[in-house]
Amino acid sequence: MEVEGIVSELFLAILALMPIVVVGIFLVALRWPASRAMPLSFLTAVLLALIVWRVPVVQVAAASLSGLAIALRLLYIIFGAILLLNVLRESGALSRIRQSFVDITPDRRIQAVIIGWLFGSFIEGAAGFGTPAAVGVPLMVGLGFPPLAAVMVGMTIQSTPVSFGAVGTPIEVGVANSLVGSLDVMRYFVSIGVDSTDAGLHLIGFRVALLHAAVGFAIPMFVVCMLTKYFGERKDWREGLEVWPFALFAAFAMIIPYVAVAWLLGPEFPSLLGGLIGLSVVVFASRRRFLMPRSGMEWDFQEEKLWPASWSGSMTLGIENDSPRSLARSWLPYLLVAAILVMTRLPQLPYQAWLNSVVIRVPELFGTNISIEEKPLYVPGSVFVLVSIMSIFIFRMKTPAVLQAFGDSTKTIRKASIALLFAVPMVQVFLKSDGGSAGYDAMPYALATAISDSVGRMWPVFAPWIGGMGAAVAGSNTNSNMMFSLFQFNVGQKIGVDPLWMVALQAVGGAAGNMICVHNVVAASAVVGLIGREGETIRRTLIPFCYYVIMAGVLGLVIVNM
């Protein structure tokens, strides 16, 4: 009977994996565009929920509708980011921004580290939820990066800063909502002398920061090596290694303050302050040629006319309306985006409460416990649109240029809509598949339980993989932590190791999972009009993802057995 139970559990886990397998086969292996692969994945999840998990039809419909609402939110963010980019292009500000980076260095490796790793970490700390890609990817394309290269860079850095993104939301909301209310967790906190949930989250956050520091320091090296390997004329990763001193300098310029802030202030500010401090230090040092490539040795892409067709999207981002604008004025829109995001995300300021007061809520869809809740003013898309409108007046743009910017943005967003309108509902059906008459746990839990029962005390090696899988499917480190933090804690207690390290490994894996999340890749690609090449990006970001979760898992195993 026990053997039958194990077989049944393993078979259920295999079935739960099928929506992800469909994505892997059709999107990654067969190179289908997401607009064709994601409807198949959605259909697979729906059929499993109805036939195997025996979830009521109304619950599947409610989950799908909830997913559509989230997809519309993502499309709004994408539209805002594209609109801002097109406004900058039509105004001529983009050409001045490009020149400001060329003045630092024309070396694309250095530019990728500064924009992707440092500026991206700061924006992640301020807003999270894919905003760094929406800001950084089009900025790199505007500088002359192939769109496919920019998306790869933008997705690869969606790792180390993510656990503390959006002012600590993955820890403060994701982990907290999973652990708070559990008597086992509260008893454990008391047993180790932790007197409050906030103190417990602070302790977990510091462990997360230490794991990220030990693994994430290599991410800038991955960025430059992958850039030269896949997009260089010689296709040689060693060209990336040529700037290893700068890459490590940039890594530690962010990571050292990042860890210090996690220890001193808690989980709200490590990425925000780490990214800001690192960006300031590295730009200051770069202007003084510290650790920079020698003049004449800078690395660049081939001429655009020699790029393969697959590298370029439908959006043209060459220099237009090249006007002699001041650097400060050209950068002002991005500075406004950063400032508004920070001001509206800090709970110490009154703006967050005001923006959150405007709520569109549809409770208990079709009589289920699934609801839709949107806060339109709080969504980063609103910040992008607001700053775009402000930029029209800042740059005194003429009506034809404004209409061109809006028209181009609308055309681009239409091409991204099909993939997202199926990808996100698939995720929601997958996550909300519990409560069916079959009595099974939701699909992700069925998968995680089968693995934990099979590996025993080796679980720390697999814990980051579960976090990564959760984020890759759910599209958010926060959602992954919400699903699995208590599960990871319980497994830690079950196998006799420190359960807080298990929660930390969950959060680290959940951050890394953003690198391979389908709808994040779709969103980043859509910003630069690169639709249909999502599988190619995921095949490449799988490399740093596997590095991240393997190294974190091995490190976790060593730590809990010390």
Side-chain angles (χ1 to χ4, degrees), residues 320-441:
E320 295 187 22
N321 299 326
D322 190 8
S323 57
R325 299 190 178 281
S326 73
L327 179 59
R329 193 177 177 193
S330 297
W331 267 106
L332 183 57
Y334 280 123
L335 296 176
L336 286 172
V337 166
I340 294 171
L341 286 173
V342 171
M343 288 191 300
T344 55
R345 267 63 187 169
L346 290 176
Q348 296 88 344
L349 299 178
Y351 308 109
Q352 186 182 75
W354 180 73
L355 293 177
N356 282 331
S357 65
V358 180
V359 180
I360 300 172
R361 180 175 173 80
V362 183
E364 300 179 345
L365 285 167
F366 307 131
T368 68
N369 62 356
I370 299 173
S371 301
I372 294 175
E373 182 174 294
E374 294 295 333
K375 300 172 181 177
L377 295 182
Y378 191 71
V379 175
S382 294
V383 176
F384 289 134
V385 172
L386 173 63
V387 173
S388 297
I389 294 171
M390 293 169 66
S391 299
I392 292 171
F393 294 99
I394 290 171
F395 298 125
R396 300 176 183 175
M397 293 175 63
K398 296 180 179 179
T399 301
V402 174
L403 293 177
Q404 184 70 40
F406 274 89
D408 289 347
S409 303
T410 303
K411 290 176 186 176
T412 303
I413 200 67
R414 282 203 300 263
K415 296 177 182 178
S417 59
I418 296 175
L420 284 175
L421 292 176
F422 281 99
V424 188
M426 181 280 287
V427 168
Q428 292 303 303
V429 172
F430 186 79
L431 299 179
K432 295 178 171 63
S433 51
D434 57 337
S437 61
Y440 301 142
D441 287 333

Side-chain angles (χ1 to χ4, degrees), residues 74-96:
L74 290 171
L75 288 168
Y76 180 39
I77 295 172
I78 296 167
F79 173 78
I82 295 170
L83 179 61
L84 179 58
L85 178 70
N86 283 327
V87 166
L88 292 175
R89 182 193 64 182
E90 293 295 327
S91 68
L94 190 60
S95 64
R96 187 65 185 91

Side-chain angles (χ1 to χ4, degrees), residues 88-276:
L88 292 175
R89 182 193 64 182
E90 293 295 327
S91 68
L94 190 60
S95 64
R96 187 65 185 91
I97 292 172
R98 176 190 292 199
Q99 188 58 47
S100 71
F101 277 97
V102 173
D103 290 342
I104 296 175
T105 176
D107 195 302
R108 303 301 190 176
R109 299 166 298 186
I110 305 301
Q111 293 175 358
V113 171
I114 292 175
I115 298 171
W117 171 251
L118 296 168
F119 187 56
S121 294
F122 168 69
I123 297 297
E124 176 65 37
F129 299 102
T131 309
V135 175
V137 170
L139 180 54
M140 283 184 278
V141 173
L143 294 174
F145 281 62
L148 191 62
V151 172
M152 182 193 73
V153 171
M155 296 309 302
T156 302
I157 68 95
Q158 289 290 286
S159 47
T160 309
V162 171
S163 287
F164 304 104
V167 201
T169 297
I171 305 293
E172 293 282 335
V173 176
V175 173
N177 282 358
S178 185
L179 298 185
V180 171
S182 167
L183 292 178
D184 289 337
V185 173
M186 295 303 112
R187 290 192 194 101
Y188 185 80
F189 281 166
V190 171
S191 73
I192 61 173
V194 174
D195 58 3
S196 69
T197 300
D198 286 343
L201 292 176
H202 191 139
L203 188 59
I204 292 169
F206 181 57
R207 296 181 182 205
V208 171
L210 288 176
L211 288 169
H212 272 309
V215 179
F217 78 93
I219 288 299
M221 281 302 307
F222 267 100
V223 166
V224 294
C225 288
M226 291 170 66
L227 200 63
T228 59
K229 170 64 177 176
Y230 293 115
F231 298 95
E233 182 178 359
R234 293 194 294 169
K235 301 289 189 291
D236 190 349
W237 56 267
R238 286 173 295 188
E239 290 183 306
L241 281 179
E242 291 171 0
V243 294
W244 69 265
F246 179 86
L248 288 180
F249 168 60
F252 287 109
M254 192 281 275
I255 282 175
I256 290 173
Y258 168 95
V259 173
V261 170
W263 171 246
L264 296 172
L265 300 180
E268 294 95 341
F269 303 112
S271 295
L272 192 153
L273 293 180
L276 182 61

